[in-house]
Amino acid sequence: MSDLGLAARQIRYENRSFWRNPASAFFTFVFPIMFLVIFNLLFGSGDYQGFGKTTSVSTFYVPAIAAFAVITATYTNLAISVSFARDEGVLKRVRGTPLPSWAYLAGRIGHSTLMCVLLVAIVTLFGVLFYGVDVPGNKMPAFVVAVIVGAASFSALGLALTGLIPNAEAAPPITNATILPLLFVSDIFIPLEDAPKWLATVAGIFPIKHYSAAMLTAFNPFDSGSGFAWGDLAVVAAWGVAGVLLAIRFFSWEPRR
């Protein structure tokens, strides 16, 4: 079998392993929907008028929650699960098999990307069915590209983070400590309209704010453009390249001593 065939088979294996853990799968898909419901309860789901158009306020919640779902399914999931697999000796055993190392990692990233696409589709459909969200069909190519670029980049960053995680027990707190503060200052959960200028500057350094902006641009019904936020996507992609380089340098297949 070719290396590409092995990578595809690894994706199938990761998919089966994921669905054989019903509790994990359930909460993976429930969390984004739960946040969408909370957003609508806290901030309302009425209509918004502007530029001669009317749309549901919930239309602006969907891209934010979709961005959160992508980050959770890639960065958070990979950083924690790979750290546990490393400490349990799974990575060391995989390393000793004929399976190419890149095929194993491609399988993990490929599965995470598929989960991202499914999560985003579910969040969008939930918004359409229950909150009257308007889906700008002409911008769907931009939305799909943003999802894929974000999935690849945050997957690379998640693998890179494992190089800083000393053991499996430290994986959840370190991962959450590096991502949760940025989620709150990057227009994911709440818009920082009156935030200090220095906080906005700090948030602009990291990829989450740019990713949130790219997702919103692709979903904004009042934007008459193509939906591609090339500048923001370039920043996210640059962080992804940095993640690849760091993962190559610091990724470990054996438990840390």
Side-chain angles (χ1 to χ4, degrees), residues 23 26 30 51 133 136 152 158 162 165 178 186 194 199 210 229 235 240 254:
F26 175 79
V30 164
F51 304 99
V133 168
T162 61
I165 298 175
T178 58
S186 300
D194 300 322
L199 187 60
H210 296 279
V235 173
E254 298 186 7

Side-chain angles (χ1 to χ4, degrees), residues 6 22 26 33-34 46 48 89 92 97 100 102 132 134 136 152 160 174 179 188 196 210-211 220 228 236 238 245:
L6 290 173
F26 175 79
I33 294 176
M34 181 183 69
Y48 176 81
K92 184 177 181 180
T97 68
W102 75 266
D134 294 322
I174 290 178
I179 199 66
I188 293 291
H210 296 279
Y211 189 55
N220 188 352
F228 286 98
V236 175
L245 297 176

Side-chain angles (χ1 to χ4, degrees), residues 85-158:
R86 182 185 62 196
D87 273 25
E88 292 170 355
V90 174
L91 296 187
K92 184 177 181 180
R93 293 196 294 273
V94 169
R95 183 74 162 172
T97 68
L99 180 70
S101 302
W102 75 266
Y104 173 78
L105 296 178
R108 298 296 299 259
I109 294 174
H111 172 259
S112 295
T113 302
L114 291 176
M115 290 300 102
C116 288
V117 173
L118 185 56
L119 275 168
V120 170
I122 290 175
V123 169
T124 304
L125 181 61
F126 190 88
V128 171
L129 294 178
F130 294 95
Y131 296 108
V133 168
D134 294 322
V135 178
N138 61 318
K139 296 181 182 178
M140 281 301 97
F143 193 61
V144 172
V145 169
V147 170
I148 294 175
V149 170
S153 298
F154 285 106
S155 292
L157 290 170

Side-chain angles (χ1 to χ4, degrees), residues 83 86 157-166 246-247 249-252 256:
S83 297
R86 182 185 62 196
L157 290 170
L159 292 177
L161 182 65
T162 61
L164 300 177
I165 298 175
L246 290 172
R249 175 63 180 84
F250 297 106
F251 187 82
S252 175
R256 297 292 180 84

Side-chain angles (χ1 to χ4, degrees), residues 29-43:
F29 287 93
V30 164
F31 267 133
I33 294 176
M34 181 183 69
F35 275 107
L36 183 59
V37 172
I38 291 174
F39 270 39
N40 281 279
L41 290 176
L42 291 179
F43 304 115

